[in-house]
Every structure is written in C-alpha cells, then in structure tokens.
Amino acid sequence: MPSPAAALPAPVRNGTVAWALGFLAYIPVPFLGLIVAGVVQLVVGLGQRKHGGLAAVNGVRAANWGLTQLCWPVLMVITIVLGVATGSPGESGGVHLTPVMRGVTTTLFGLFFLVCVLEAIYAIVGTVLASKGRRVWLPVIPFLRTPRS
C-alpha cells in the first residue's frame, strides 16, 4: 500500500507566494503594513530563486517590488528630517516648513499613497499571473537580477 504522501502531487513552484504576500501591506497599522509587505516580499521572493525557472523569475520580480516599496518610507523619513532641520519653530510648538520642503513633503506623501494603491494592484495582478504559470512583468525598479539558468 503506497503512503499518503506518495499520492500527493509535487507542489508547483511559480513564485505566486511572493506576490500574494503583498497583501500584508493592508495590516491595519498605517505605514507599518507597507514596510512589512516590502520586507516579506523581498525575503520570500529571493527564496524563490533556489527553485529556478518561473519561480525564480517571479520571485525576483516580487523582491524588486518589495525593495521599491521600501524606498518610499526611507525617502519620507529623510524628507521629514530635512524639513524639521530647515524649518522654523512655530508659536504653538510645531515646526513651520519652508515652502520648498512643504512641497516636497506633500509630493512624497502623495506618492506614498500612490504606492499603497499600486501595492493592491500589483498583489492582485502578480498573484493571478503567477498562479496561472505566467511571468509577472509589472514595472518595478530592477534592483536585483534573475539568476541565469
């Protein structure tokens, strides 16, 4: 009698898990969810490289998207620090940003919310395409290269 484990088919390795973990961005803690999703997609996506083929391609693309997401919180922190350093103290204890820093800060916060919307789109599209056995070619910053097979 064959063992039950022998009857199970081998798992399909296509990088779906790396894209599906993008939904962690919607942990109901502002900013933290996007950071967690970026880190997890980076780590799991890079882990997909050991499987080779489609899993490696889709995993590295998900890892690149995770790194792209992580750029925004870093840029926001740098911008806020520069804004506070160059601003002037307010009467009620706050900081008045210079007009240039106010514009830069507003633009970065707007782009951050755009990244949040893109995360939903990328998580859905990436998960669906990878689960169908297709390559995910969503536009991301190519920090990492797919290993050659």
Side-chain angles (χ1 to χ4, degrees), residues 14-23 37-38 40-48 55 58-63 65-66 69 119 122-123 126-127 130:
N14 53 20
T16 302
V17 67
W19 283 102
L21 287 169
F23 290 110
V40 171
Q41 280 186 294
L42 172 63
V43 171
V44 173
L46 290 176
Q48 294 293 306
N58 287 340
V60 169
R61 295 292 289 185
W65 174 239
Q69 290 176 72
E119 175 54 42
Y122 277 33
T127 301

Side-chain angles (χ1 to χ4, degrees), residues 35 43 55-58 67 71-72 92 94 101-103 107 111 123 127-128 132 138 141:
I35 293 169
V43 171
V57 171
N58 287 340
L67 280 172
C71 286
W72 293 109
S92 60
M101 286 310 297
R102 194 175 309 125
T107 301
L111 290 173
T127 301
V128 169
K132 289 182 177 182
L138 297 169
I141 300 172

Side-chain angles (χ1 to χ4, degrees), residues 28-112:
V29 179
F31 301 105
L32 181 64
L34 200 63
I35 293 169
V36 167
V39 170
V40 171
Q41 280 186 294
L42 172 63
V43 171
V44 173
L46 290 176
Q48 294 293 306
R49 292 191 302 182
K50 68 183 173 194
H51 301 297
L54 186 61
V57 171
N58 287 340
V60 169
R61 295 292 289 185
N64 280 329
W65 174 239
L67 280 172
T68 302
Q69 290 176 72
L70 292 173
C71 286
W72 293 109
V74 170
L75 286 174
M76 286 175 45
V77 167
I78 291 169
T79 301
I80 290 170
V81 168
L82 286 174
V84 170
T86 60
S88 59
E91 302 91 34
S92 60
V95 175
H96 289 289
L97 299 177
T98 62
V100 170
M101 286 310 297
R102 194 175 309 125
V104 170
T105 304
T106 303
T107 301
L108 274 177
F109 273 103
L111 290 173
F112 180 75

Side-chain angles (χ1 to χ4, degrees), residues 123-146:
I124 292 167
V125 171
T127 301
V128 169
L129 288 176
S131 69
K132 289 182 177 182
R134 296 175 54 197
R135 289 180 184 238
V136 180
W137 291 109
L138 297 169
V140 298
I141 300 172
F143 292 106
L144 308 166
R145 290 174 29 140
T146 304

